[in-house]
């Protein structure tokens, strides 16, 4: 039985090595260096397989001296992968050049290698090689892994068609140079951008240094094994979504299940079917593209939400915006001691009639921006602007000891700033302190506003002020008098208020 099996294994190997040696001689005579280099790789893999077979049937060695079944598994699959892969690529190249004789000889090598693989699966170690027979693998815990069977040619073609438009940046990690070169060349032909890593540590360093769309990973490698690479990838939030296809000479069901449990997207044993490999890569890249697009959309939604929140905080005070976001409404509230400031430009309408719109808007924008900074510096909250009128409050959302003083200081700085900025406007400022009602009005365009007699009186003070002055009534002057200098403007008739003594605020002592 052993003699018969040895003969069956050596026969296709002899075909592989023999045809390869003849083709190497032809390539050397014809100075086809690239072809010769690939044939040398096939020949070396065939010799390596022959050594494994001879070792397996060496009667002088005890069982402990021979390769274990697991090691044998790897030592057979790896060179077979190289022979089949290079033979397929060389056939494609020879076919494209019209070298029919070369195609025929390469096909013989390819057929012999496929036959040897089938023989190994069926006769040498079926318990380890034929994972397709294991429909389910139960491992530690509740995880159950169902292995995918190879698709039919029609199904594989359909998968390739679906994923054909998806090319990406791929990293091939394999410690065997012939495997790396072969796979990188095949993937490059499919339009992918391919990099290679010589071991697990190299693979991790590369994926941390630059983005990749897919990692094709061998299991048995120096420095770090494929298992260790998978563990570190999935433990890293920045890398855990990188899809991984494991390509290994080992197809033991426990190893397959372990790779999937560690986060591998897919698993293909060597030698792999190129059509199936292309289909699996296309499927992985398609999933990654859809996931990346979903992440991008979620990021855009988050950015839009952030812009919306920022805009809301520009339109509304912070606490009010937070309440509106939380409850979709803002409850109106009464505040007892609030300073209200109105400021507008003297002679603004007449000035506008003599200047173009672009100039008007430019100067008005500069002034309002300056007023916003002044108001914030003095603890005031801007409420709104209406034309050239600027309204702010003190002590509305953050209590202040003397809102009148804050408003008066703010008004005096506004007057000085308006005079300094082109076109050197004069402004009028009115201030009043008292109770107000505050809340949000509108549904489509929110506006936080304040109402009440205090607001109306502040507006009347601004209308009564002379250009370049801050005007207050007697009640507010009493709040300012200990720290302010100013003078009475006499008793004036104020619309809706009757006769009131008004005061001009000239300065505030610190």
């Amino acid at each position: 039985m052993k003699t018969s099996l040895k003969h069956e294994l050596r026969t296709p190997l002899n075909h592989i090595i023999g045809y390869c040696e003849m083709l190497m001689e032809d390539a050397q005579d014809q100075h086809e260096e690239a072809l010769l280099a690939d044939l040398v790789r096939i020949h070396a893999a065939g010799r390596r397989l022959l050594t494994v077979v001879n070792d397996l049937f060496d009667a002088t060695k005890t069982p402990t001296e021979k390769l274990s079944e697991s090691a044998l598994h790897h030592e057979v699959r790896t060179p077979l992968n190289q022979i089949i892969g290079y033979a397929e690529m060389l056939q494609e190249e020879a076919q494209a050049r019209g070298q029919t004789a070369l195609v025929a000889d390469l096909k013989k090598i390819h057929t012999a290698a496929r036959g040897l693989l089938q023989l190994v699966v069926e006769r040498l170690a079926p318990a380890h090689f034929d994972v397709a027979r294991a429909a389910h693998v139960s491992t530690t815990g509740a995880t159950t892994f169902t292995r995918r069977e190879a698709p039919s040619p029609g199904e594989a073609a359909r998968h390739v068609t679906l994923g054909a438009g998806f090319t990406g940046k791929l990293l091939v990690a394999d410690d065997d140079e012939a495997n790396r070169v072969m796979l990188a060349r095949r993937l490059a032909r499919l339009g992918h951008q391919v990099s290679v890593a010589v071991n697990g540590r190299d693979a991790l360093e590369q994926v941390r240094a630059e983005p990749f769309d897919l990692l094709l990973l061998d299991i048995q490698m120096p420095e770090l094994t494929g298992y260790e690479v998978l563990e570190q990838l999935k433990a890293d939030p920045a890398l855990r979504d990188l899809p991984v296809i494991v390509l290994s000479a080992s197809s033991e069901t426990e190893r397959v299940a372990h790779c999937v449990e560690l986060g591998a997207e897919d698993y293909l044993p060597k030698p792999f079917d190129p059509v199936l490999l292309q289909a699996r890569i296309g499927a992985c890249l398609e999933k990654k593209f859809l996931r990346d697009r979903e992440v991008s959309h979620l990021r855009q939604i988050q950015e839009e939400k952030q812009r919306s929140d920022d805009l809301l905080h520009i339109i509304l005070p912070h606490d009010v915006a937070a309440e509106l976001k939380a409850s979709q409404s803002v409850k109106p509230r009464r505040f007892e001691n609030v300073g209200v400031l109105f400021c507008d430009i003297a002679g603004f309408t007449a000035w506008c009639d003599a200047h173009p719109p672009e100039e008007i808007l430019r100067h008005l924008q500069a002034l309002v921006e300056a007023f916003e900074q002044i108001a914030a510096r003095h603890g005031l909250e801007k409420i709104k602007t209406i034309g050239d009128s600027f309204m702010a409050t003190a002590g509305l959302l953050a209590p202040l000891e003397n809102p009148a003083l804050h408003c008066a200081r703010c008004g005096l700085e506004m007057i000085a700033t308006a005079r300094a900025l082109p076109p050197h406007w004069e402004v009028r400022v009115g201030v009043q302190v008292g109770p107000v009602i505050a809340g949000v009005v509108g549904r489509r365009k929110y506006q936080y506003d304040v109402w009440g007699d205090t607001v109306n009186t502040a507006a009347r003070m601004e209308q009564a002020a002379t250009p370049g002055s801050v005007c207050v009534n007697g009640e507010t002057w009493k709040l300012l008098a200990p720290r302010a200098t100013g003078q009475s403007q006499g008793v004036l008739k104020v619309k809706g208020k009757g006769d009131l003594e008004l005061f001009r605020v000239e300065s505030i002592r610190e």
Side-chain angles (χ1 to χ4, degrees), residues 289-300:
F289 170 78
L290 294 174
R291 182 167 56 240
D292 289 349
R293 188 168 64 179
E294 180 182 6
V295 170
S296 177
H297 286 171
L298 290 174
R299 186 182 300 114
Q300 289 176 13

Side-chain angles (χ1 to χ4, degrees), residues 138-195:
S138 296
T139 55
T140 304
T143 302
T144 301
F145 168 65
T146 302
R147 179 168 176 79
R148 299 190 214 172
E149 300 290 347
S152 65
E155 183 184 0
R158 180 176 64 82
H159 280 296
V160 172
T161 301
L162 287 173
F166 293 93
T167 58
K169 186 176 180 181
L170 278 51
L171 178 64
V172 174
D174 196 318
D175 62 312
D176 188 291
E177 182 182 7
N179 282 342
R180 288 197 307 273
V181 173
M182 176 190 64
L183 186 54
R185 281 171 55 181
R186 179 172 292 281
L187 296 175
R189 285 183 180 184
L190 297 175
H192 301 291
Q193 181 183 346
V194 187
S195 299

Side-chain angles (χ1 to χ4, degrees), residues 39-52:
L39 290 169
V40 167
R41 293 186 177 97
I42 295 175
H43 188 265
R47 284 291 180 185
R48 179 176 169 186
L49 266 175
L50 184 59
T51 300
V52 173

Side-chain angles (χ1 to χ4, degrees), residues 32-301:
E32 295 189 45
E33 300 299 331
L35 174 61
L36 179 60
D38 288 339
L39 290 169
V40 167
R41 293 186 177 97
I42 295 175
H43 188 265
R47 284 291 180 185
R48 179 176 169 186
L49 266 175
L50 184 59
T51 300
V52 173
V53 171
N54 289 337
D55 178 83
L56 181 63
F57 294 98
D58 188 348
T60 66
K61 290 186 178 181
T62 65
T64 57
E65 294 176 313
K66 295 182 180 182
L67 290 170
S68 67
E69 288 187 331
S70 178
L72 175 65
H73 189 283
H74 181 270
E75 290 301 315
V76 170
R77 289 273 185 174
T78 297
L80 269 176
N81 178 62
Q82 294 166 11
I83 294 168
I84 292 172
Y86 278 107
E88 287 171 346
M89 285 197 302
L90 291 177
Q91 281 185 81
E92 293 170 5
E93 293 173 358
Q95 186 73 45
R97 294 194 298 266
Q99 296 172 300
T100 54
L102 178 58
V103 170
D105 288 340
L106 288 168
K107 189 173 182 180
K108 291 183 177 73
I109 293 175
H110 182 264
T111 301
R114 281 290 178 187
L116 181 58
L117 175 63
Q118 186 67 27
L119 186 62
V120 166
V121 168
E122 293 178 350
R123 301 285 304 279
L124 190 57
H128 286 273
F129 286 99
D130 193 6
V131 290
R133 295 180 182 176
H136 298 276
V137 179
S138 296
T139 55
T140 304
T143 302
T144 301
F145 168 65
T146 302
R147 179 168 176 79
R148 299 190 214 172
E149 300 290 347
S152 65
E155 183 184 0
R158 180 176 64 82
H159 280 296
V160 172
T161 301
L162 287 173
F166 293 93
T167 58
K169 186 176 180 181
L170 278 51
L171 178 64
V172 174
D174 196 318
D175 62 312
D176 188 291
E177 182 182 7
N179 282 342
R180 288 197 307 273
V181 173
M182 176 190 64
L183 186 54
R185 281 171 55 181
R186 179 172 292 281
L187 296 175
R189 285 183 180 184
L190 297 175
H192 301 291
Q193 181 183 346
V194 187
S195 299
V196 295
V198 299
N199 55 52
R201 191 176 304 281
D202 184 22
L204 277 176
E205 289 174 355
Q206 290 197 51
V207 298
R208 285 170 176 157
E210 56 183 311
F212 286 92
D213 296 314
L214 177 65
L215 171 61
L216 294 113
L217 182 67
D218 189 24
I219 292 180
Q220 293 179 250
M221 292 187 294
E223 300 286 338
L224 289 174
T225 67
Y227 299 137
E228 293 169 321
V229 171
L230 280 169
E231 288 173 349
Q232 293 197 34
L233 284 177
K234 300 311 171 181
D236 188 335
L239 300 175
R240 64 176 53 156
D241 290 330
L242 174 65
V244 178
I245 294 179
V246 173
L247 300 175
S248 177
S250 173
S251 60
E252 295 177 11
T253 51
E254 292 81 3
R255 295 192 177 199
V256 175
H258 190 44
C259 287
V260 174
E261 285 183 332
L262 289 174
E265 195 80 16
D266 214 329
Y267 184 107
L268 286 175
K270 299 175 184 176
F272 50 79
D273 184 307
V275 176
L276 182 57
L277 176 66
Q278 184 180 355
R280 297 286 174 84
I281 289 175
C284 282
L285 291 177
E286 184 175 11
K287 286 173 64 177
K288 184 178 186 298
F289 170 78
L290 294 174
R291 182 167 56 240
D292 289 349
R293 188 168 64 179
E294 180 182 6
V295 170
S296 177
H297 286 171
L298 290 174
R299 186 182 300 114
Q300 289 176 13
I301 291 170

